[in-house]
């Protein structure tokens, strides 16, 4: 298959390119770092004329710094995707794999002993400042236990990045229904691995910890370190993209959690990286960021059943590699 990969020079995109080529696909890369912009319909014309499918990885990533980031997120992620989809329709390209994110869910799923499955709202600054980090049942205020979230859960984006990723999913769904195309959105959980970008205000927690260790600083763990996440290796994510090229139903958009299915806490992540790197040991600070979610872990069963996707890189193996892997 002839595949156009946007964001091909990026962290995840570069691994997707390698995985596609390893399976015999003919890949054309398209990346802003090389002067290619998905917001430029003219620049898309030639590669789309020769493509059977698009794997859309290009995006402004991270949670953002403040509201001043809103125009950039909307332009790159929403407008850029709209331009790409319109161009795909003009050139008759009928298959799309879209990089989405678990951040579209907001806070994860929880079980209350009295009220069953619940979705707590955002935590308050007052609770966080007093070290009360765990969400409570929105109906009775009792403690709740975190649970894995599936693709049918209500979405609740809580920052600019999350909102634009959900908008991308909706635009892809519009395109699929109107053109009869096949749109598969992959909701990545916490991706890590070689070539991950270094510590920036937009970096994920794994890169922040890894950059600190490389500089000889102790990883600073926010809250009490008990935040649960699903850390999935970038090579597994790349494999999911390859599998998604054969998935989906024309005219009917599909979404899948792409995760390891084995959650770990942020504190465990910091400790594992520190141990593999030879220190320094993490420091639990009690600091917090308003708007961060406490727990978000995935049920990847649908991707396994419908795409045949199973994560292969275990947490221990992945952390051992990542502790010394090259960063971008």
């Amino acid at each position: 298959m002839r595949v156009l990969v946007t964001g091909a020079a990026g962290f995840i995109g570069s691994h997707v390119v390698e995985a596609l080529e390893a399976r015999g696909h003919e890949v054309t890369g398209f990346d802003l770092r090389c002067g290619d912009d998905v917001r430029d319909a003219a620049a898309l014309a030639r590669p789309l004329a020769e493509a059977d499918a698009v794997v859309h990885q290009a995006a402004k990533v991270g949670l953002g710094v403040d509201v001043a980031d809103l125009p950039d997120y909307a332009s790159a992620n929403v407008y850029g995707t709209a331009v790409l989809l319109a161009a795909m329709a003009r050139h008759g390209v009928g298959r799309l794999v879209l990089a989405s994110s678990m951040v579209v869910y907001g806070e994860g799923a929880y079980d209350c002993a009295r009220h069953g499955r619940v979705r707590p709202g955002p935590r308050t600054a007052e609770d966080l400042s007093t070290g009360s980090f765990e969400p409570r049942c929105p109906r009775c205020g009792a403690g709740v236990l975190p649970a894995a979230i599936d693709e049918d859960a209500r979405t609740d984006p809580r920052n600019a990045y999350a909102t634009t990723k959900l908008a991308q999913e909706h635009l892809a769904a519009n395109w699929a229904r109107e053109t009869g195309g096949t749109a598969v959105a992959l909701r990545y959980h916490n991706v890590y691995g070689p070539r991950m970008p270094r510590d920036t205000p937009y970096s994920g927690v794994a890169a922040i910890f890894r950059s600190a260790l490389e500089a000889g600083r102790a990883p600073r763990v926010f809250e009490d370190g008990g935040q649960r996440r699903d850390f999935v290796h970038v090579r597994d994510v790349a494999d999911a993209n390859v599998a998604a090229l054969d998935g989906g139903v024309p005219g009917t958009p599909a979404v899948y959690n792409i995760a390891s299915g084995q959650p770990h806490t942020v504190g465990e992540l910091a400790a594992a990286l520190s141990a593999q790197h030879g220190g320094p040991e993490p420091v639990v600070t009690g600091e917090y960021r308003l708007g961060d979610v406490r727990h978000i872990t995935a049920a990847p069963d649908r991707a396994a059943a419908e795409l045949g996707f199973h994560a292969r890189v275990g947490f221990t193996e992945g952390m051992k590699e990542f502790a010394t892997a090259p960063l971008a």
Side-chain angles (χ1 to χ4, degrees):
M1 192 179 297
R2 298 174 301 173
V3 185
L4 174 63
V5 178
T6 71
F11 165 45
I12 298 175
S14 64
H15 286 274
V16 170
V17 169
E18 290 175 355
L20 287 167
E21 290 179 338
R23 289 161 179 80
H25 295 286
E26 181 182 333
V27 179
T28 299
F30 194 90
D31 196 283
L32 191 59
R33 296 168 181 83
C34 304
D36 301 321
D37 193 334
V38 294
R39 292 168 289 192
D40 184 346
L44 287 164
R46 183 173 180 178
L48 284 175
E50 301 174 349
D52 302 308
V54 173
V55 176
H56 184 31
Q57 303 290 320
K60 183 176 177 65
V61 300
L63 301 184
V65 176
D66 54 39
V67 293
D69 284 328
L70 288 172
D72 285 344
Y73 276 102
S75 177
N77 297 355
V78 182
Y79 179 68
T81 299
V83 171
L84 173 65
L85 292 170
M88 288 175 64
R90 283 196 302 275
H91 291 278
V93 181
R95 182 170 290 275
L96 171 73
V97 178
L98 171 69
S100 188
S101 172
M102 56 86 178
V103 295
V104 302
Y105 294 120
E107 190 67 65
Y110 294 83
D111 289 327
C112 171
R114 182 177 176 187
H115 294 108
R117 184 61 51 88
V118 295
R119 295 291 300 279
R123 298 174 295 169
T124 66
E126 181 180 4
D127 283 344
L128 292 168
S129 65
T130 59
S132 180
F133 300 125
E134 294 292 342
R136 294 187 170 276
C137 176
R139 297 179 63 185
C140 67
V144 290
L145 295 175
I149 201 163
D150 65 26
E151 294 88 347
D152 295 326
R154 172 179 56 88
T155 53
D156 183 20
R158 297 184 180 183
N159 55 62
Y161 176 62
T163 299
T164 59
K165 295 310 285 186
L166 186 58
Q168 286 182 318
E169 289 190 16
H170 288 315
L171 288 170
N174 297 154
W175 169 84
R177 294 187 183 104
E178 292 183 22
T179 67
T182 301
V184 177
L186 305 180
R187 291 175 176 170
Y188 303 159
H189 283 248
N190 290 69
V191 186
Y192 73 96
R195 303 198 291 271
M196 194 173 190
R198 294 180 182 275
D199 182 8
T200 76
Y202 304 94
S203 294
V205 66
I208 292 171
F209 290 167
R210 173 57 169 47
S211 295
L213 289 164
E214 192 172 51
R217 302 190 309 268
R220 295 178 61 81
V221 180
F222 279 17
E223 301 185 17
D224 60 359
Q227 309 95 303
R228 288 164 58 89
R229 299 288 189 270
D230 190 304
F231 299 100
V232 58
H233 196 278
V234 67
R235 288 195 296 273
D236 286 327
V237 171
D239 288 344
N241 277 270
V242 177
L245 279 176
D246 294 323
V249 176
T252 304
V255 297
Y256 297 96
N257 286 328
I258 301 302
S260 72
Q262 300 294 323
H264 291 270
T265 68
V266 172
E268 289 171 340
L269 169 70
L273 281 175
S274 178
Q276 292 293 343
H277 198 273
E281 293 185 0
V283 175
V284 178
T285 69
E287 297 172 89
Y288 63 88
R289 295 190 306 181
L290 195 63
D292 277 357
V293 299
R294 178 62 174 175
H295 305 297
I296 175 71
T297 61
D301 301 1
R302 182 180 295 177
E306 298 183 11
L307 300 180
F309 168 75
H310 300 273
R312 297 181 297 169
V313 182
F315 182 77
T316 300
E317 174 191 353
M319 289 299 118
K320 183 176 180 179
E321 177 195 31
F322 185 54
T324 57
L327 301 180

